[in-house]
Amino acid sequence: MKKVIILIAVIFVLIQFFRPEKNISEKENFNSIEKQHAVPKNVSLILKTSCYDCHSNNTHYPWYNNIQPLAWWLNKHVVEGKRELNFDEFNRYSSEKKKKKLTEIIDEIEKKDMPLYSYTIIHSNAKISLEQQKEVNNWAKKLKDSLDFK
């Protein structure tokens, strides 16, 4: 039993040296959604508080991101989140993809699938109230409708 505990401790120490690359960009992003589309300040604040850690090129990492295997788990969420929607790359999307992503934003918020429950456990300020849901969804619907005319 003692050997097993020592082995687990050694493995735990060793994995601390293998860290994923952090999602932090120093560059000004010309493809961000706010560069081409009007995003009201209240909606922008909601998106930055509740969405951008996983859906942008800049994640604000919590202290526990310095502990493996938690950093790997967080990195997986960020990579998957950016693959689904990246607000910092939104203007690279085709018009059709933009409309699809806006529809998905509305659906995910209405179903309360976003932000992830596991995220809001630690980041309670990321929870979206009913009023905030309406604000984001109304904005997303208006933006989607405006894309139909471009």
Side-chain angles (χ1 to χ4, degrees):
M1 185 67 163
K2 186 176 179 181
K3 288 180 182 183
V4 171
I5 292 172
I6 291 171
L7 179 62
I8 291 171
V10 168
I11 290 171
F12 181 77
V13 169
L14 287 176
I15 66 173
Q16 301 311 307
F17 294 101
F18 299 95
R19 300 185 178 275
E21 184 178 342
K22 289 192 175 188
N23 182 46
I24 299 175
S25 175
E26 301 287 326
K27 302 174 190 170
E28 182 176 3
N29 200 325
F30 297 104
N31 292 306
S32 103
I33 193 167
E34 294 179 348
K35 294 288 185 183
Q36 187 171 342
H37 304 286
V39 182
K41 285 185 180 183
N42 59 326
V43 172
S44 178
L45 182 60
I46 295 165
L47 296 177
K48 287 177 181 172
T49 303
S50 301
C51 309
Y52 274 35
D53 274 350
C54 294
H55 296 285
S56 78
N57 292 335
N58 283 293
T59 299
H60 294 98
Y61 288 96
W63 64 268
Y64 54 85
N65 185 65
N66 294 313
I67 302 169
Q68 298 299 10
L70 293 174
W72 293 331
W73 180 71
L74 290 171
N75 185 63
K76 181 177 180 262
H77 279 286
V78 171
V79 169
E80 289 174 357
K82 285 176 63 174
R83 187 178 332 119
E84 287 299 316
L85 170 66
N86 187 337
F87 287 105
D88 283 337
E89 302 299 330
F90 192 82
N91 292 318
R92 289 182 187 260
Y93 299 163
S94 69
S95 184
E96 288 304 311
K97 186 173 181 178
K98 286 179 182 180
K99 288 188 269 188
K100 180 179 184 241
K101 293 302 172 186
L102 290 164
T103 299
E104 289 173 358
I105 289 169
I106 295 164
D107 291 344
E108 293 292 313
I109 289 175
E110 284 179 354
K111 292 187 299 187
K112 297 183 180 5
D113 288 343
M114 286 288 151
L116 292 175
Y117 176 73
S118 60
Y119 182 75
T120 60
I121 290 171
I122 301 293
H123 304 89
S124 60
N125 63 327
K127 292 177 183 172
I128 300 176
S129 70
L130 289 175
E131 183 62 34
Q132 290 172 319
Q133 288 176 18
K134 289 177 189 174
E135 291 172 11
V136 172
N137 286 352
N138 288 339
W139 162 78
K141 287 173 187 171
K142 285 179 188 174
L143 179 54
K144 183 177 174 272
D145 291 344
S146 74
L147 293 173
D148 287 331
F149 296 106
K150 289 187 178 185

